[in-house]
Each structure stands twice: as structure tokens, then as C-alpha cells.
Amino acid sequence: MDESILQGLKSQFQKHRIVFWYDAKKEMREQFDNLELDGIEKIEINNDEFSIKYRILRKESEQKFLIYNFGPEPERFTDNWLLDVQLSHGKFRTDQIQIWLNELGLGPHFSDTLESHQAFFRSSKRRSDLKSILTDKEDEISLKNKMLLVAPGSKQNIEGVVASLLSELKNNEDNTFRLLKKCNLEEHLWNQFNRLYGYKVESPSISDFAIQLFKSCYMRKQNLDAELNAEAVILMDRWKNDRNNQKVFEHFSNEYQNILEIDNKINEVDFRSLIEIDYFEAIDLYIITTIIEELSKKTISHKDVNSIIRNRFNTHWYDKFKEVYESVLYASEFFHEISSMSLGMTDFEDALKIYPKSWFKIDQLYRKFIFHYKKSSQPTLLSEIAEMIENKYENDFLLRLNDAWQNQLGSI
């Protein structure tokens, strides 16, 4: 017994008590004869329509029936004596499209959709996966949307399809896209990209969409006009924050950073407008170098430095620059403390009391800076601030404290 026929009939009987089966090509006799369905009575039409009608509507009105006709359905309605029963119940046909419709529990108005995407439905696994997520409220668009998910085996939504396409793009593969094209879903894919993300170009491609995604999200996060819409930003953030996609994201981030010339263009932007953005590694470098410059000019407060760095905690590249950020943070706190600290002392005992309450912070912050500075392995990036720390520590702390201490020793 053909499993697809069996499943199609079962699907029909889930919705109807009576199902008609017209064997138009007269090739299903053996299938019908061998068919066994629990609780289903089989009847073959043999010029006995009135007796069949009496049996199924009056005599056994609760019983389920499969009514088989060895041949096509009568061409004229007036010749079909069971038409009224048929119209109020189910009809099962055995052409391939109808078998798939029956198996999936879809109505005849989906015939054209299945006809246009036969390559998709030839896979029993795809049909099974599709059936598991279908509802009784599908329309042509929603059906195609679910086909779009099932074809590449996505367990998510359209974002899962995008992730698959981008992952294969990184690896110079196109298995998912070729499958979608084979299943005649390519046009629907681009329609969805247009509807959801505003991606509409004359010759769409996955590589072009990817670069537009990075560029548009970078622009939109700065409240600038962009080709893709706000939904693209949501897509981007969810995609890059998924651990499974991190290597793919970093690959394209590095590639598109060069193509989009982010390193050069970023210097024209106020670094404060980039605090929440982490699409490119260059952003972190720019933020760090700018903070260092402002610390050297004394144009940024420790409170602002602390706030900026704390806001970078959950950004993508933070772990790579963690030690650098920590170094800058402790340097900022060091400058803040030393600028407001008094190194005066009245006597020897006074000095011993002040150090554990106040002066020790300078030593502590200096050592914390040195610790993270060495761990950072970024001597060039931090060289300017490291030199500032050393000068401040030696001249404004150690030298002054030593002079004050010598004065006290001299008075003993």
C-alpha cells in the first residue's frame, strides 16, 4: 500500500465522515482492494447510488465510509447522483498533486502552489516537516513562508534561513540557495527580504544582502538614513549574538570593515555616538584611542570614562579588548584620585594614618593599571597613557610624597 495514499486518506477522514475516491486513470484498483483502515467501511459505486445514499445517510449515519469509483467523476453534475453528499463531505484523488494535498491536509485551492514547487514536495522528509508546522489557517504566502523554512532544515524562522545562507557564503558554498532555487522558492525568498528588511535591488544576491546588512545597521544605529529598514537591525543583533554565528559574523565584520572603509570614515564621527555599536572591531579601537586622547587633554571625566567602558561590557569585541579597557579604566581612576589628593602631613604619626586611608589608592591603582597593561599585549595602543601614568606616579606622587616625608624626618 502506497504510504502517501494511506496518509492522504487518513487526513481526509480526520475532517470528513464520508470520502469519495475517483480512480480517473483506472490504476488504483489494487490499492483500493488492499486498503484497510480501522473503522472505515469501503464501498464501490456500481450503478447503485441510491442504495449507497440510503445506507450512508440513513441506515448507518454514524459510520465512516470510503466510496470508490473505478473511473473518473461524471462530467455533468446531473449524472452524479451522489453529488449532494460529495459536496458536503470529502473527495480524494490519486494524481500526484492531489495525493500531496491529501497528505498535508490542504484544500484544492493550494493545487497551483504545489504544482509550481514540485521539487520541494518530492521529498517525503520535507513534506513531513512541513505538515508538522501547518495550521488550518494557511494561505499561499504563509505556506510558502513555511516551505522556505523547511527546505534548508531551519528550526527557527526566516532568521534561521538567513543564518544558513550567510554561513554557507562564508564557506564559499551555496547548498541552501541552490536548493531554494531548485524548489522554485528563490523569488519568494527575495520577496520576503524585501517585505521584512526593505532589501530590493535589480540583481539580488546573498553577498550583496550581507554587505547591505552591515552597512545599513551601522548607519541606522547612528540615526542615519540607510537602505535596509529597522527590522534589519533586529535581525543583525540576534544573528551576531547567537554563539553559533560568531565566527561567521567576525569573518564578514573584518571583510566589510575594509570594503566599507570604516577605519577611515570613523574618524569623522563623534565616538560617543558609537558607544552602543559593535559591528566592527575598528569601533573599539576608535573608542579606546579617543578616550586616551581626551584623558591626556583632561577633557573627559572619570565618571564618563567609567560609563562608556561599562556600556561596552556586553558588546561583541569586548573580550578581545578587555585588558585594554581595564587598563584605561584604572588609568582614568588613577588620574582622578591623584588630581584631588593632598600629600600634606603634620607629623610622622599623621602620615602613618593617612596612607592606609587615602594614599594607598594611588599605589593600588598604579599596580592595577600595570597588571592589565602587561596582560593586554597592546603596548603600542597603550603606550601614550602608560607614559602619562609613569610620569604622574613618579613626579606627582612618589617625588612629592618623598619630599614631604624627608621634611618630617628632618624635623625629628
Side-chain angles (χ1 to χ4, degrees):
M1 183 67 194
D2 190 311
E3 184 65 25
S4 63
I5 293 178
L6 187 61
Q7 292 301 319
L9 285 169
K10 286 181 178 179
S11 177
Q12 285 289 320
F13 278 109
Q14 287 176 358
K15 296 178 287 185
H16 305 289
R17 183 175 71 85
I18 302 169
V19 176
F20 288 80
W21 181 357
Y22 291 98
D23 187 0
K25 296 182 180 180
K26 297 184 177 183
E27 57 188 13
M28 293 293 167
R29 162 67 68 185
E30 184 178 354
Q31 298 278 5
F32 174 74
D33 290 340
N34 293 331
L35 177 67
E36 292 185 9
L37 287 171
D38 292 339
I40 310 297
E41 288 283 343
K42 298 191 299 181
I43 298 176
E44 183 176 352
I45 299 174
N46 190 18
N47 294 320
D48 54 353
E49 286 88 347
F50 287 106
S51 63
I52 289 175
K53 181 179 289 190
Y54 175 77
R55 178 184 177 185
I56 63 179
L57 296 183
R58 293 295 184 89
K59 188 177 180 181
E60 299 177 58
S61 59
E62 300 297 324
Q63 176 63 45
K64 291 185 176 183
F65 291 97
L66 173 61
I67 301 175
Y68 174 79
N69 186 69
F70 186 62
E73 183 178 356
E75 292 184 5
R76 295 189 304 176
F77 289 161
T78 54
D79 293 335
N80 189 347
W81 298 104
L82 292 171
L83 181 62
D84 56 335
V85 181
Q86 180 182 308
L87 291 175
S88 60
H89 292 82
K91 184 168 66 173
F92 178 76
R93 290 176 178 169
T94 51
D95 59 275
Q96 188 60 74
I97 299 300
Q98 187 63 46
I99 289 173
W100 289 338
L101 288 171
N102 293 333
E103 179 184 345
L104 295 168
L106 296 172
H109 54 287
F110 286 105
S111 297
D112 290 343
T113 302
L114 271 65
E115 183 75 37
S116 300
H117 304 281
Q118 290 191 48
F120 174 92
F121 292 100
R122 289 194 186 103
S123 166
S124 59
K125 183 179 186 310
R126 286 197 290 269
R127 294 197 307 272
S128 176
D129 290 345
L130 178 62
K131 185 177 180 180
S132 69
I133 59 175
L134 290 178
T135 70
D136 58 359
K137 297 180 180 179
E138 304 296 347
D139 55 27
E140 182 181 3
I141 298 301
S142 67
L143 178 62
K144 287 184 179 182
N145 287 344
K146 290 181 178 180
M147 290 164 60
L148 202 59
L149 305 185
V150 167
S154 173
K155 301 297 182 182
Q156 305 175 46
N157 46 28
I158 189 66
E159 294 176 6
V161 178
V162 174
S164 296
L165 292 169
L166 293 179
S167 178
E168 291 184 2
L169 178 63
K170 170 188 175 292
N171 297 321
N172 294 316
E173 300 172 351
D174 63 349
N175 297 330
T176 296
F177 187 75
R178 282 192 294 110
L179 176 59
L180 294 177
K181 192 171 183 178
K182 177 182 177 182
C183 294
N184 197 25
L185 288 167
E186 179 186 6
E187 181 179 355
H188 186 68
L189 174 72
W190 298 130
N191 288 340
Q192 285 297 96
F193 277 22
N194 179 24
R195 184 181 70 84
L196 294 172
Y197 312 121
Y199 178 68
K200 187 176 183 179
V201 296
E202 186 174 339
S203 301
S205 68
I206 302 304
S207 59
D208 181 65
F209 173 75
I211 195 168
Q212 287 297 339
L213 183 64
F214 274 82
K215 180 180 179 180
S216 293
C217 291
Y218 176 63
M219 301 291 284
R220 280 196 167 273
K221 279 292 184 79
Q222 298 176 72
N223 297 316
L224 301 174
D225 292 336
E227 293 191 26
L228 302 188
N229 61 28
E231 286 298 316
V233 177
I234 297 174
L235 166 70
M236 175 67 137
D237 289 345
R238 287 177 178 170
W239 171 66
K240 75 176 178 60
N241 291 335
D242 187 327
R243 289 183 177 273
N244 296 321
N245 303 323
Q246 286 189 357
K247 289 185 178 179
V248 182
F249 165 74
E250 290 177 5
H251 168 83
F252 288 120
S253 175
N254 291 326
E255 179 178 339
Y256 298 154
Q257 177 174 291
N258 295 327
I259 293 175
L260 298 172
E261 299 181 334
I262 299 299
D263 299 77
N264 297 328
K265 296 178 180 178
I266 204 170
N267 295 317
E268 304 169 3
V269 178
D270 181 353
F271 85 102
R272 289 173 175 80
S273 69
L274 304 174
I275 302 304
E276 306 293 335
I277 308 175
D278 63 348
Y279 300 136
F280 304 104
E281 185 178 340
I283 294 174
D284 289 84
L285 289 170
Y286 180 57
I287 289 174
I288 291 166
T289 54
T290 306
I291 291 176
I292 291 174
E293 288 177 6
E294 295 211 359
L295 282 173
S296 66
K297 298 175 183 177
K298 300 180 181 180
T299 55
I300 190 170
S301 68
H302 173 62
K303 181 180 179 181
D304 286 344
V305 173
N306 184 69
S307 175
I308 291 168
I309 293 177
R310 298 306 171 193
N311 281 332
R312 299 300 292 175
F313 272 7
N314 296 319
T315 55
H316 184 85
W317 302 98
Y318 178 80
D319 286 345
K320 180 172 183 177
F321 293 99
K322 179 180 178 181
E323 300 302 333
V324 177
Y325 277 120
E326 290 292 312
S327 299
V328 173
L329 183 62
Y330 284 120
S332 174
E333 190 173 355
F334 174 89
F335 294 140
H336 173 72
E337 288 292 335
I338 204 169
S339 66
S340 59
M341 184 169 289
S342 172
L343 295 175
M345 62 185 78
T346 58
D347 54 34
F348 180 80
E349 293 296 329
D350 186 41
L352 293 180
K353 292 177 182 178
I354 295 175
Y355 185 84
K357 291 182 180 180
S358 176
W359 295 340
F360 85 96
K361 290 182 181 179
I362 302 300
D363 280 326
Q364 184 183 65
L365 292 171
Y366 171 77
R367 285 167 175 75
K368 285 185 175 181
F369 168 81
I370 295 298
F371 174 78
H372 290 287
Y373 170 63
K374 290 181 177 179
K375 285 188 68 177
S376 72
S377 300
Q378 294 276 4
T380 303
L381 183 61
L382 293 170
S383 60
E384 180 181 354
I385 201 166
E387 185 177 349
M388 291 167 56
I389 289 283
E390 288 293 346
N391 289 335
K392 281 282 185 182
Y393 184 65
E394 291 180 8
N395 299 320
D396 291 1
F397 180 67
L398 292 182
L399 183 59
R400 288 174 56 198
L401 185 61
N402 181 66
D403 289 344
W405 187 252
Q406 288 298 327
N407 290 336
Q408 292 300 320
L409 290 179
S411 63
I412 295 176

